[in-house]
């Protein structure tokens, strides 16, 4: 009888161990699958297949709703895709989704710099469908999130590009926006053309092949009436190779800016 009990106990332990090993193997396979999906989604994004990349990030979020890599990348992709749409009604749903995804990233991963970067991008894009007063309020939130991102991921070039664009846009707001800000929002946030140039150049120094970074520096020079400094930047763009989906359009825009200056 004692032998029988020993055999039964051994069988139970064997089955339990097998079950635990099966669960562990299943978990490892699930983690590996998610990692593979994230890697593939990044490759699709870099190759310009943005919708396919977004779909894959959303698939990851079905299996792992709090995955920060999928959350912040899906947010940025919605912001990018929405920006190309025609009219506020088509833009707004993408921008709102971008904000929601970024908010989830920030709430679940408060120490992650990419989450704050995504929130800054999403909030910035929302200003495209806002009135002047709301735009100024949103610009304060953009700055708050950029600063948090810069503290956590200072080696991520897009953070400094976004910070430079923010300074350029806010420092050169129109008189109508400034008037609305003075009446309803407590004034324009602190921004300077000097910081705009500094941060845009910093982004370029970190990613010298990025066409958008160069184009936005040239645009800043034009805003502050320094076309002589915009010209060499625009000419440099003419010799750069496209890497991202929007690069051909950016190169064409740079050519048009050059033609306008020369004309």
């Amino acid at each position: 009888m004692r032998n029988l009990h020993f055999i039964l106990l051994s069988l139970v332990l064997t089955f339990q161990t097998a079950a635990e090993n099966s669960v562990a193997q299943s978990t490892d396979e699930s983690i590996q699958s998610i990692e593979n999906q994230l890697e593939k989604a990044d490759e699709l994004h870099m190759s310009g297949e943005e919708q396919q990349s977004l779909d894959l990030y959303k698939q990851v979020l079905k299996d792992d709703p709090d995955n920060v890599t999928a959350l912040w990348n899906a947010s940025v992709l919605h912001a990018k895709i929405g920006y190309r749409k025609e009219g506020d009604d088509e833009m707004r749903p993408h921008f709102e989704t971008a904000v929601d995804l970024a908010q989830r990233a920030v709430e679940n991963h408060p120490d992650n710099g990419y989450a704050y970067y995504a929130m800054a991008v999403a909030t910035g894009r929302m200003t495209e469908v806002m009135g002047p007063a709301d735009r100024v309020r949103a610009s304060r939130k953009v700055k708050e999130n950029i600063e948090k991102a810069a503290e956590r991921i200072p080696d991520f070039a897009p953070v400094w590009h976004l910070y430079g664009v923010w300074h350029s846009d806010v420092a050169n707001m129109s008189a109508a926006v400034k008037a609305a800000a003075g009446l309803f929002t407590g004034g324009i946030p602190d921004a300077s053309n000097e910081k705009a140039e500094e941060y845009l150049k910093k982004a370029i120094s970190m990613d010298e092949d990025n066409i958008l970074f160069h184009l936005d520096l040239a645009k800043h020079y034009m805003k502050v009436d320094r076309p002589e400094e915009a010209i060499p930047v625009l000419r440099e763009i003419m010799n750069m190779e496209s890497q991202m989906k929007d690069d051909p359009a950016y190169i064409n825009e740079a050519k048009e800016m050059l033609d306008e200056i020369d004309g």
Side-chain angles (χ1 to χ4, degrees):
M1 182 66 71
R2 298 177 87 179
N3 287 339
L4 179 59
H5 286 163
F6 177 77
I7 291 170
L8 290 173
L9 179 59
S10 297
L11 287 171
V12 169
L13 291 173
T14 299
F15 287 137
Q16 182 178 350
T17 301
E20 290 173 351
N21 289 339
S22 177
V23 170
Q25 181 179 355
S26 176
T27 300
D28 289 343
E29 289 175 353
S30 176
I31 292 172
Q32 187 60 49
S33 174
I34 287 175
E35 290 177 351
N36 290 340
Q37 286 177 303
L38 290 173
E39 185 176 341
K40 180 62 176 177
D42 183 61
E43 291 175 359
L44 288 167
H45 187 184
M46 292 301 100
S47 65
E49 303 294 337
E50 292 178 351
Q51 187 59 55
Q52 291 91 324
S53 176
L54 178 58
D55 292 342
L56 201 47
Y57 281 125
K58 287 184 175 181
Q59 182 59 50
V60 170
L61 291 173
K62 287 182 180 178
D63 300 325
D64 185 7
D66 294 334
N67 188 287
V68 68
T69 302
L71 284 169
W72 83 262
N73 276 286
S75 174
V76 169
L77 279 165
H78 266 293
K80 290 176 70 173
I81 293 170
Y83 188 61
R84 298 192 195 101
K85 298 296 182 180
E86 294 291 335
D88 291 3
D89 290 342
E90 290 188 34
M91 288 181 174
R92 190 183 300 277
H94 282 283
F95 295 160
E96 290 175 345
T97 301
V99 170
D100 289 343
L101 289 165
Q103 187 64 46
R104 284 168 57 187
V106 168
E107 289 176 353
N108 288 290
H109 306 276
D111 294 325
N112 188 285
Y114 297 100
Y116 292 105
Y117 169 72
M119 179 57 79
V121 171
T123 306
R125 285 306 184 207
M126 276 297 298
T127 63
E128 300 290 335
V129 293
M130 291 178 175
D134 288 336
R135 194 175 303 161
V136 173
R137 292 190 190 96
S139 72
R140 296 180 185 280
K141 293 179 63 177
V142 172
K143 185 181 182 184
E144 290 172 8
N145 283 283
I146 299 174
E147 289 175 342
K148 290 177 181 178
E151 290 172 3
R152 292 163 173 80
I153 47 173
D155 296 329
F156 188 53
V159 167
W160 299 106
H161 167 252
L162 184 59
Y163 210 174
V165 171
W166 182 89
H167 273 280
S168 182
D169 287 347
V170 174
N172 297 285
M173 280 183 171
S174 69
V177 173
K178 289 180 180 179
L183 288 172
F184 303 112
T185 68
I188 299 290
D190 290 335
S192 77
N193 287 314
E194 292 75 20
K195 286 294 184 183
E197 182 176 358
E198 176 188 346
Y199 293 155
L200 286 168
K201 285 184 173 179
K202 182 171 183 173
I204 290 171
S205 72
M206 297 169 72
D207 186 357
E208 295 179 353
D209 296 326
N210 193 297
I211 293 175
L212 177 60
F213 294 179
H214 287 78
L215 181 62
D216 281 333
L217 177 60
K219 287 181 176 180
H220 173 67
Y221 285 140
M222 294 302 294
K223 283 181 186 177
V224 295
D225 197 25
R226 290 159 62 186
E228 69 283 354
E229 293 180 69
I231 290 171
V233 180
L234 294 168
R235 286 178 177 164
E236 185 177 357
I237 292 173
M238 295 296 98
N239 296 316
M240 296 176 72
E241 293 185 7
S242 296
Q243 294 182 334
M244 302 293 289
K245 182 174 182 176
D246 292 322
D247 282 352
Y250 295 149
I251 292 172
N252 187 60
E253 186 174 358
K255 184 178 183 304
E256 291 176 352
M257 288 174 66
L258 266 177
D259 291 343
E260 186 174 343
I261 294 172
D262 294 338

